[in-house]
PDB file of all heavy atoms in Angstrom:
ATOM      1  N   HIS Y1275      -4.604 -13.993  13.440  1.00 95.00           N
ATOM      2  CA  HIS Y1275      -4.229 -14.499  14.795  1.00 95.00           C
ATOM      3  C   HIS Y1275      -5.426 -14.984  15.584  1.00 95.00           C
ATOM      4  O   HIS Y1275      -6.554 -14.385  15.401  1.00 95.00           O
ATOM      5  CB  HIS Y1275      -3.636 -13.248  15.559  1.00 95.00           C
ATOM      6  CG  HIS Y1275      -2.870 -13.639  16.785  1.00 95.00           C
ATOM      7  ND1 HIS Y1275      -3.358 -13.828  18.041  1.00 95.00           N
ATOM      8  CD2 HIS Y1275      -1.576 -13.961  16.850  1.00 95.00           C
ATOM      9  CE1 HIS Y1275      -2.455 -14.177  18.905  1.00 95.00           C
ATOM     10  NE2 HIS Y1275      -1.310 -14.243  18.188  1.00 95.00           N
ATOM     11  N   PRO Y1276      -5.323 -16.056  16.408  1.00 95.00           N
ATOM     12  CA  PRO Y1276      -6.416 -16.693  17.161  1.00 95.00           C
ATOM     13  C   PRO Y1276      -7.348 -15.692  17.992  1.00 95.00           C
ATOM     14  O   PRO Y1276      -8.460 -15.970  18.083  1.00 95.00           O
ATOM     15  CB  PRO Y1276      -5.775 -17.804  17.940  1.00 95.00           C
ATOM     16  CG  PRO Y1276      -4.510 -17.967  17.382  1.00 95.00           C
ATOM     17  CD  PRO Y1276      -4.086 -16.756  16.773  1.00 95.00           C
ATOM     18  N   ASP Y1277      -6.689 -14.697  18.547  1.00 95.00           N
ATOM     19  CA  ASP Y1277      -7.497 -13.791  19.467  1.00 95.00           C
ATOM     20  C   ASP Y1277      -7.811 -12.535  18.776  1.00 95.00           C
ATOM     21  O   ASP Y1277      -8.353 -11.677  19.450  1.00 95.00           O
ATOM     22  CB  ASP Y1277      -6.864 -13.637  20.767  1.00 95.00           C
ATOM     23  CG  ASP Y1277      -5.578 -12.881  20.664  1.00 95.00           C
ATOM     24  OD1 ASP Y1277      -4.949 -12.709  19.673  1.00 95.00           O
ATOM     25  OD2 ASP Y1277      -5.025 -12.299  21.675  1.00 95.00           O
ATOM     26  N   LYS Y1278      -7.413 -12.361  17.518  1.00 93.00           N
ATOM     27  CA  LYS Y1278      -7.695 -11.034  17.058  1.00 93.00           C
ATOM     28  C   LYS Y1278      -8.498 -10.988  15.702  1.00 93.00           C
ATOM     29  O   LYS Y1278      -9.172 -10.062  15.268  1.00 93.00           O
ATOM     30  CB  LYS Y1278      -6.436 -10.375  16.646  1.00 93.00           C
ATOM     31  CG  LYS Y1278      -5.657  -9.878  17.987  1.00 93.00           C
ATOM     32  CD  LYS Y1278      -4.194  -9.238  17.481  1.00 93.00           C
ATOM     33  CE  LYS Y1278      -3.552  -9.076  18.862  1.00 93.00           C
ATOM     34  NZ  LYS Y1278      -3.057 -10.158  19.493  1.00 93.00           N
ATOM     35  N   GLY Y1279      -8.418 -12.150  15.038  1.00 96.00           N
ATOM     36  CA  GLY Y1279      -9.096 -12.247  13.705  1.00 96.00           C
ATOM     37  C   GLY Y1279      -8.055 -11.879  12.662  1.00 96.00           C
ATOM     38  O   GLY Y1279      -6.829 -12.175  12.873  1.00 96.00           O
ATOM     39  N   THR Y1280      -8.545 -11.415  11.546  1.00 97.00           N
ATOM     40  CA  THR Y1280      -7.611 -11.094  10.430  1.00 97.00           C
ATOM     41  C   THR Y1280      -7.576  -9.746   9.968  1.00 97.00           C
ATOM     42  O   THR Y1280      -8.682  -8.970  10.098  1.00 97.00           O
ATOM     43  CB  THR Y1280      -8.069 -11.910   9.142  1.00 97.00           C
ATOM     44  OG1 THR Y1280      -8.126 -13.404   9.399  1.00 97.00           O
ATOM     45  CG2 THR Y1280      -7.177 -11.774   7.947  1.00 97.00           C
ATOM     46  N   GLU Y1281      -6.383  -9.086   9.848  1.00 97.00           N
ATOM     47  CA  GLU Y1281      -6.193  -7.870   9.480  1.00 97.00           C
ATOM     48  C   GLU Y1281      -5.291  -7.680   8.193  1.00 97.00           C
ATOM     49  O   GLU Y1281      -4.731  -8.695   7.865  1.00 97.00           O
ATOM     50  CB  GLU Y1281      -5.541  -6.934  10.532  1.00 97.00           C
ATOM     51  CG  GLU Y1281      -4.185  -7.405  10.897  1.00 97.00           C
ATOM     52  CD  GLU Y1281      -3.544  -6.582  11.988  1.00 97.00           C
ATOM     53  OE1 GLU Y1281      -3.987  -5.486  12.279  1.00 97.00           O
ATOM     54  OE2 GLU Y1281      -2.642  -7.128  12.618  1.00 97.00           O
ATOM     55  N   MET Y1282      -5.461  -6.650   7.477  1.00 97.00           N
ATOM     56  CA  MET Y1282      -4.610  -6.601   6.202  1.00 97.00           C
ATOM     57  C   MET Y1282      -3.395  -5.569   6.511  1.00 97.00           C
ATOM     58  O   MET Y1282      -3.552  -4.521   7.084  1.00 97.00           O
ATOM     59  CB  MET Y1282      -5.528  -5.951   5.196  1.00 97.00           C
ATOM     60  CG  MET Y1282      -4.734  -5.662   3.827  1.00 97.00           C
ATOM     61  SD  MET Y1282      -4.358  -7.219   2.951  1.00 97.00           S
ATOM     62  CE  MET Y1282      -5.968  -7.919   2.441  1.00 97.00           C
ATOM     63  N   CYS Y1283      -2.249  -6.104   6.075  1.00 97.00           N
ATOM     64  CA  CYS Y1283      -1.049  -5.326   6.165  1.00 97.00           C
ATOM     65  C   CYS Y1283      -0.839  -4.716   4.802  1.00 97.00           C
ATOM     66  O   CYS Y1283      -0.644  -5.589   3.777  1.00 97.00           O
ATOM     67  CB  CYS Y1283       0.098  -6.119   6.710  1.00 97.00           C
ATOM     68  SG  CYS Y1283       1.719  -5.275   6.315  1.00 97.00           S
ATOM     69  N   LEU Y1284      -0.790  -3.430   4.593  1.00 97.00           N
ATOM     70  CA  LEU Y1284      -0.415  -2.872   3.322  1.00 97.00           C
ATOM     71  C   LEU Y1284       1.130  -2.910   3.347  1.00 97.00           C
ATOM     72  O   LEU Y1284       1.738  -2.195   3.967  1.00 97.00           O
ATOM     73  CB  LEU Y1284      -0.847  -1.391   3.330  1.00 97.00           C
ATOM     74  CG  LEU Y1284      -0.687  -0.732   1.943  1.00 97.00           C
ATOM     75  CD1 LEU Y1284      -1.612   0.551   1.939  1.00 97.00           C
ATOM     76  CD2 LEU Y1284       0.752  -0.354   1.716  1.00 97.00           C
ATOM     77  N   TYR Y1285       1.542  -3.928   2.475  1.00 97.00           N
ATOM     78  CA  TYR Y1285       3.012  -4.269   2.507  1.00 97.00           C
ATOM     79  C   TYR Y1285       3.893  -3.286   1.786  1.00 97.00           C
ATOM     80  O   TYR Y1285       4.830  -2.824   2.181  1.00 97.00           O
ATOM     81  CB  TYR Y1285       3.234  -5.691   1.971  1.00 97.00           C
ATOM     82  CG  TYR Y1285       4.650  -6.072   2.128  1.00 97.00           C
ATOM     83  CD1 TYR Y1285       5.170  -6.458   3.214  1.00 97.00           C
ATOM     84  CD2 TYR Y1285       5.560  -6.086   0.923  1.00 97.00           C
ATOM     85  CE1 TYR Y1285       6.468  -6.957   3.270  1.00 97.00           C
ATOM     86  CE2 TYR Y1285       6.788  -6.560   1.039  1.00 97.00           C
ATOM     87  CZ  TYR Y1285       7.178  -6.900   2.191  1.00 97.00           C
ATOM     88  OH  TYR Y1285       8.491  -7.379   2.280  1.00 97.00           O
ATOM     89  N   GLU Y1286       3.325  -2.843   0.609  1.00 97.00           N
ATOM     90  CA  GLU Y1286       4.076  -1.966  -0.188  1.00 97.00           C
ATOM     91  C   GLU Y1286       3.247  -1.141  -1.137  1.00 97.00           C
ATOM     92  O   GLU Y1286       2.218  -1.707  -1.846  1.00 97.00           O
ATOM     93  CB  GLU Y1286       5.188  -2.747  -0.997  1.00 97.00           C
ATOM     94  CG  GLU Y1286       6.124  -1.712  -1.772  1.00 97.00           C
ATOM     95  CD  GLU Y1286       7.392  -2.558  -2.302  1.00 97.00           C
ATOM     96  OE1 GLU Y1286       7.462  -3.820  -2.319  1.00 97.00           O
ATOM     97  OE2 GLU Y1286       8.343  -1.899  -2.687  1.00 97.00           O
ATOM     98  N   LEU Y1287       3.476   0.136  -1.411  1.00 98.00           N
ATOM     99  CA  LEU Y1287       2.753   0.951  -2.242  1.00 98.00           C
ATOM    100  C   LEU Y1287       3.871   1.686  -3.085  1.00 98.00           C
ATOM    101  O   LEU Y1287       4.826   2.135  -2.753  1.00 98.00           O
ATOM    102  CB  LEU Y1287       1.944   1.958  -1.677  1.00 98.00           C
ATOM    103  CG  LEU Y1287       1.302   3.072  -2.419  1.00 98.00           C
ATOM    104  CD1 LEU Y1287       0.080   2.398  -3.285  1.00 98.00           C
ATOM    105  CD2 LEU Y1287       0.789   4.260  -1.493  1.00 98.00           C
ATOM    106  N   SER Y1288       3.623   1.684  -4.511  1.00 97.00           N
ATOM    107  CA  SER Y1288       4.529   2.350  -5.445  1.00 97.00           C
ATOM    108  C   SER Y1288       3.722   2.912  -6.538  1.00 97.00           C
ATOM    109  O   SER Y1288       2.756   2.408  -7.153  1.00 97.00           O
ATOM    110  CB  SER Y1288       5.547   1.413  -5.971  1.00 97.00           C
ATOM    111  OG  SER Y1288       6.475   1.896  -6.893  1.00 97.00           O
ATOM    112  N   VAL Y1289       4.227   4.192  -6.890  1.00 98.00           N
ATOM    113  CA  VAL Y1289       3.568   4.848  -8.070  1.00 98.00           C
ATOM    114  C   VAL Y1289       4.759   5.336  -8.971  1.00 98.00           C
ATOM    115  O   VAL Y1289       5.727   5.881  -8.327  1.00 98.00           O
ATOM    116  CB  VAL Y1289       2.646   6.011  -7.705  1.00 98.00           C
ATOM    117  CG1 VAL Y1289       2.175   6.787  -8.970  1.00 98.00           C
ATOM    118  CG2 VAL Y1289       1.390   5.537  -6.827  1.00 98.00           C
ATOM    119  N   ASP Y1290       4.703   5.015 -10.225  1.00 97.00           N
ATOM    120  CA  ASP Y1290       5.821   5.413 -11.173  1.00 97.00           C
ATOM    121  C   ASP Y1290       5.889   6.939 -10.986  1.00 97.00           C
ATOM    122  O   ASP Y1290       4.839   7.567 -11.016  1.00 97.00           O
ATOM    123  CB  ASP Y1290       5.458   5.019 -12.475  1.00 97.00           C
ATOM    124  CG  ASP Y1290       6.513   5.301 -13.500  1.00 97.00           C
ATOM    125  OD1 ASP Y1290       7.421   4.594 -13.687  1.00 97.00           O
ATOM    126  OD2 ASP Y1290       6.352   6.457 -14.033  1.00 97.00           O
ATOM    127  N   GLU Y1291       7.134   7.367 -11.185  1.00 96.00           N
ATOM    128  CA  GLU Y1291       7.388   8.828 -10.923  1.00 96.00           C
ATOM    129  C   GLU Y1291       6.577   9.624 -11.905  1.00 96.00           C
ATOM    130  O   GLU Y1291       6.094  10.782 -11.496  1.00 96.00           O
ATOM    131  CB  GLU Y1291       8.973   9.122 -11.012  1.00 96.00           C
ATOM    132  CG  GLU Y1291       9.322  10.468 -10.578  1.00 96.00           C
ATOM    133  CD  GLU Y1291      10.770  10.707 -10.556  1.00 96.00           C
ATOM    134  OE1 GLU Y1291      11.493   9.697 -10.184  1.00 96.00           O
ATOM    135  OE2 GLU Y1291      11.231  11.815 -10.777  1.00 96.00           O
ATOM    136  N   GLY Y1292       6.534   9.160 -13.089  1.00 96.00           N
ATOM    137  CA  GLY Y1292       5.753   9.995 -14.006  1.00 96.00           C
ATOM    138  C   GLY Y1292       4.211  10.125 -13.916  1.00 96.00           C
ATOM    139  O   GLY Y1292       3.572  10.910 -14.542  1.00 96.00           O
ATOM    140  N   TYR Y1293       3.728   9.318 -12.934  1.00 97.00           N
ATOM    141  CA  TYR Y1293       2.208   9.237 -12.688  1.00 97.00           C
ATOM    142  C   TYR Y1293       1.959   9.747 -11.284  1.00 97.00           C
ATOM    143  O   TYR Y1293       0.740   9.651 -10.890  1.00 97.00           O
ATOM    144  CB  TYR Y1293       1.655   7.835 -12.875  1.00 97.00           C
ATOM    145  CG  TYR Y1293       1.831   7.279 -14.326  1.00 97.00           C
ATOM    146  CD1 TYR Y1293       2.876   6.574 -14.680  1.00 97.00           C
ATOM    147  CD2 TYR Y1293       0.760   7.597 -15.129  1.00 97.00           C
ATOM    148  CE1 TYR Y1293       2.923   6.243 -16.007  1.00 97.00           C
ATOM    149  CE2 TYR Y1293       0.890   7.218 -16.505  1.00 97.00           C
ATOM    150  CZ  TYR Y1293       1.940   6.472 -16.924  1.00 97.00           C
ATOM    151  OH  TYR Y1293       2.058   6.033 -18.146  1.00 97.00           O
ATOM    152  N   ARG Y1294       2.859  10.290 -10.587  1.00 95.00           N
ATOM    153  CA  ARG Y1294       2.582  10.742  -9.202  1.00 95.00           C
ATOM    154  C   ARG Y1294       1.828  12.125  -9.147  1.00 95.00           C
ATOM    155  O   ARG Y1294       1.818  12.808 -10.124  1.00 95.00           O
ATOM    156  CB  ARG Y1294       4.047  10.904  -8.398  1.00 95.00           C
ATOM    157  CG  ARG Y1294       4.546   9.571  -8.268  1.00 95.00           C
ATOM    158  CD  ARG Y1294       5.979   9.775  -7.465  1.00 95.00           C
ATOM    159  NE  ARG Y1294       6.568   8.443  -7.403  1.00 95.00           N
ATOM    160  CZ  ARG Y1294       7.840   8.213  -7.104  1.00 95.00           C
ATOM    161  NH1 ARG Y1294       8.644   9.207  -6.787  1.00 95.00           N
ATOM    162  NH2 ARG Y1294       8.203   6.954  -7.009  1.00 95.00           N
ATOM    163  N   ARG Y1295       1.206  12.237  -8.049  1.00 94.00           N
ATOM    164  CA  ARG Y1295       0.408  13.528  -7.790  1.00 94.00           C
ATOM    165  C   ARG Y1295      -0.762  13.439  -8.645  1.00 94.00           C
ATOM    166  O   ARG Y1295      -1.373  14.629  -8.976  1.00 94.00           O
ATOM    167  CB  ARG Y1295       1.160  14.710  -7.985  1.00 94.00           C
ATOM    168  CG  ARG Y1295       2.531  14.718  -7.076  1.00 94.00           C
ATOM    169  CD  ARG Y1295       2.899  15.766  -6.238  1.00 94.00           C
ATOM    170  NE  ARG Y1295       1.992  16.887  -5.958  1.00 94.00           N
ATOM    171  CZ  ARG Y1295       1.435  17.061  -4.680  1.00 94.00           C
ATOM    172  NH1 ARG Y1295       1.850  16.162  -3.732  1.00 94.00           N
ATOM    173  NH2 ARG Y1295       0.716  17.981  -4.509  1.00 94.00           N
ATOM    174  N   ARG Y1296      -1.494  12.361  -8.894  1.00 96.00           N
ATOM    175  CA  ARG Y1296      -2.610  12.205  -9.744  1.00 96.00           C
ATOM    176  C   ARG Y1296      -3.705  11.486  -8.910  1.00 96.00           C
ATOM    177  O   ARG Y1296      -4.807  11.111  -9.478  1.00 96.00           O
ATOM    178  CB  ARG Y1296      -2.374  11.461 -10.975  1.00 96.00           C
ATOM    179  CG  ARG Y1296      -1.455  12.213 -11.885  1.00 96.00           C
ATOM    180  CD  ARG Y1296      -1.414  11.459 -13.228  1.00 96.00           C
ATOM    181  NE  ARG Y1296      -0.355  11.862 -14.191  1.00 96.00           N
ATOM    182  CZ  ARG Y1296      -0.158  11.380 -15.277  1.00 96.00           C
ATOM    183  NH1 ARG Y1296      -0.978  10.683 -15.864  1.00 96.00           N
ATOM    184  NH2 ARG Y1296       0.890  11.896 -15.986  1.00 96.00           N
ATOM    185  N   GLY Y1297      -3.443  11.006  -7.625  1.00 96.00           N
ATOM    186  CA  GLY Y1297      -4.412  10.346  -6.813  1.00 96.00           C
ATOM    187  C   GLY Y1297      -4.228   8.828  -7.049  1.00 96.00           C
ATOM    188  O   GLY Y1297      -5.084   8.044  -6.347  1.00 96.00           O
ATOM    189  N   ILE Y1298      -3.310   8.340  -7.643  1.00 98.00           N
ATOM    190  CA  ILE Y1298      -3.259   6.902  -7.866  1.00 98.00           C
ATOM    191  C   ILE Y1298      -2.918   6.116  -6.662  1.00 98.00           C
ATOM    192  O   ILE Y1298      -3.461   5.096  -6.296  1.00 98.00           O
ATOM    193  CB  ILE Y1298      -2.166   6.631  -9.101  1.00 98.00           C
ATOM    194  CG1 ILE Y1298      -2.664   7.123 -10.338  1.00 98.00           C
ATOM    195  CG2 ILE Y1298      -1.856   5.040  -9.169  1.00 98.00           C
ATOM    196  CD1 ILE Y1298      -1.599   7.126 -11.561  1.00 98.00           C
TER     197      ILE Y1298
END
């Protein structure tokens, strides 16, 4: 944006169910 600069939007995060709770 002209008066703010550039920011990053984390649009989507997904971890396969079999790999969850491992810090991925």
Side-chain angles (χ1 to χ4, degrees):
H1275 199 272
D1277 70 337
K1278 293 174 186 65
T1280 303
E1281 63 184 335
M1282 181 66 70
C1283 168
L1284 188 160
Y1285 184 76
E1286 189 167 11
L1287 174 69
S1288 174
V1289 176
D1290 182 88
E1291 193 170 330
Y1293 293 96
R1294 291 182 185 164
R1295 310 231 9 112
R1296 298 185 192 185
I1298 294 172

